[in-house]
Amino acid sequence: MIRKAIRKTITKPTRRYLGYLGLNTLFGTDRTKQILHVNPTVIPQREEAREVRAYVYDFNDREIEVKEYNEVAPLLQYRNSGRVSWINVDGLRKADVEAICNHYGVHALLLEDILSIDQRPKMDEVEGVLFCLLNMLYFNDQHGTVEQEQISIVLGKDFVISFQEDASRDVFNPLRDKLRISTSKIRQRSADYLCYSMLDHIVDNYFLVMERLGVRIEELEEQVIQNSNSRALARISALRKELIVLKRNLAPVRDLVNGIIRSESDLLDDRTTKYYKDVYDHIMQAYDLCENYRDIMVNMQDLYINNVNLKMNEVMKVMAIVTCLMAPATVIGGIFGMNFDKIPYLHNDYGFYIAVGLMLLIPIYMLWVFNKRGWF
């Protein structure tokens, strides 16, 4: 009902204006369809990447080897290398992903998940590997939207393979810097600690995105308080949709990390469990913060509606006062305008001035009474 009432207050020219601004987020836009469209019965069609770039970090506590490849064939040599290997593949092509998965013993079901589109974040243990699928989030300042990039992480014995969609960005640069330091914990630990570090950086980046959204929410709150117009309502709707993107990612990642903590896989060292619990605490904090933002947006929409109603009440109040003030003049004019032969002061030289004087004095007296009673 509230949504229908809001739609009625926005005229067609205003909707077109919002569309020109890129803020027409109330009326079935592409952004809404992109966020809410999930149909598991439709087989996704992923575009093949034009090029594939792979980065290999093969390391132990004494030395590290960093390599970059434009094909997947050299990646197959790092299985059972005697060191921990992190293979990061940027750009997905079905034939390349199949070659890597077949060589490293990744099940065909996990292969389908890697090549999937808009998959729900999850964790699986299949035939000796631990598989994590989730999204890295970025905030687009230009459009004010939360962008997501799917990443698949395969943890095996002494190796971690990550598959990314976009080769131009990720959140692992601090992790790469730590790998180059021989005394860092990542170099001293096994592959499960590397997997924890990757999840930790992904979750920590969620807070950066939420911080940017928080700034937008604060700015919008001031705008709604100062000027509750259609543009503010469109921004409220747009931010609520971005919070939907956050919530759809945070809740499953919480279950993902919890599944790793409860796992009894031989790939996970008991010493690393406490680190995964730390990631779980972080994702719970992020989820609670997302819920707080959602409550703020609901309250902000209520504030907008209250402000609109308040403005409407002010308009109705002014119109009611004007109507009341004009009532005496209407009555007096109606009485003296009656078609009778004998009307008081009809032929009096001062009759017109007396009638006009009454029309002015009575409203002035009414204004004094209204002000005395505090009706203004």
Side-chain angles (χ1 to χ4, degrees), residues 87-319:
I87 302 173
N88 185 39
V89 180
D90 290 326
L92 302 182
R93 290 193 293 213
K94 184 176 181 181
D96 296 336
V97 175
E98 287 179 348
I100 296 173
C101 292
N102 292 334
H103 183 76
Y104 283 89
V106 180
H107 196 272
L109 291 175
L110 303 183
L111 171 62
E112 292 181 4
D113 290 334
I114 295 172
L115 295 174
S116 65
I117 299 175
D118 296 329
Q119 180 70 269
R120 186 179 187 273
K122 65 175 185 176
M123 186 277 294
D124 280 326
E125 294 180 63
V126 181
E127 296 185 357
V129 298
L130 191 147
F131 175 74
C132 300
L133 185 147
L134 66 163
N135 291 314
M136 294 185 288
L137 301 182
Y138 313 97
F139 190 78
N140 189 320
D141 289 312
Q142 181 178 0
H143 299 95
T145 57
V146 177
E147 299 177 350
Q148 54 188 20
E149 177 191 356
Q150 182 172 296
I151 178 172
S152 303
I153 302 175
V154 178
L155 171 63
K157 182 174 176 56
D158 295 332
F159 69 84
V160 174
I161 307 175
S162 55
F163 298 92
Q164 298 180 213
E165 298 175 331
D166 189 355
S168 62
R169 59 182 180 179
D170 62 27
V171 300
F172 298 134
N173 285 334
L175 177 59
R176 296 184 179 98
D177 295 336
K178 291 179 181 178
L179 281 171
R180 291 181 170 86
I181 303 174
S182 60
T183 57
S184 63
K185 284 186 177 181
I186 303 177
R187 293 278 296 274
Q188 309 296 324
R189 299 294 184 88
S190 56
D192 62 330
Y193 189 88
L194 174 61
C195 180
Y196 144 74
S197 299
M198 297 176 69
L199 294 176
D200 186 48
H201 281 81
I202 294 173
V203 171
D204 287 347
N205 191 66
Y206 291 168
F207 286 96
L208 300 180
V209 174
M210 298 178 73
E211 182 179 355
R212 307 281 279 281
L213 269 179
V215 173
R216 294 292 181 99
I217 291 174
E218 291 177 2
E219 295 174 351
L220 179 57
E221 188 173 14
E222 294 179 0
Q223 179 183 350
V224 171
I225 294 174
Q226 296 174 0
N227 187 17
S228 295
N229 52 23
S230 300
R231 184 183 179 89
L233 178 60
R235 293 188 62 189
I236 291 174
S237 179
L239 284 178
R240 290 189 67 179
K241 291 174 184 177
E242 302 313 314
L243 289 177
I244 291 176
V245 177
L246 275 177
K247 187 174 182 180
R248 286 182 59 181
N249 283 279
L250 295 179
V253 172
R254 175 188 59 184
D255 298 334
L256 182 153
V257 179
N258 188 42
I260 295 177
I261 295 174
R262 296 176 178 273
S263 174
E264 298 180 356
S265 174
D266 295 334
L267 299 173
L268 300 173
D269 192 339
D270 293 337
R271 297 180 302 170
T272 314
T273 303
K274 57 180 176 290
Y275 295 103
Y276 284 103
K277 290 182 178 179
D278 183 67
V279 178
Y280 183 79
D281 292 338
H282 288 176
I283 196 64
M284 286 299 299
Q285 293 176 14
Y287 184 80
D288 292 340
L289 184 58
C290 181
E291 287 293 308
N292 293 338
Y293 282 165
R294 179 179 175 276
D295 293 338
I296 291 174
M297 295 305 299
V298 172
N299 294 334
M300 200 179 302
Q301 181 170 307
D302 293 340
L303 176 61
Y304 169 84
I305 296 174
N306 292 335
N307 286 343
V308 171
N309 292 334
L310 181 60
K311 289 181 180 180
M312 181 63 69
N313 291 337
E314 291 292 333
V315 173
M316 296 301 296
K317 181 179 179 181
V318 172
M319 295 178 64

Side-chain angles (χ1 to χ4, degrees), residues 34-53:
Q34 179 184 358
I35 293 174
L36 301 180
H37 177 71
V38 177
N39 188 356
T41 63
V42 178
I43 300 176
Q45 299 294 329
R46 175 187 291 277
E47 290 187 10
E48 294 281 296
R50 295 183 178 180
E51 61 177 357
V52 175
R53 288 194 296 177

Side-chain angles (χ1 to χ4, degrees), residues 340-351:
F340 290 107
D341 292 334
K342 294 183 179 181
I343 296 178
Y345 302 102
L346 181 62
H347 300 289
N348 192 303
D349 295 339
Y350 300 99

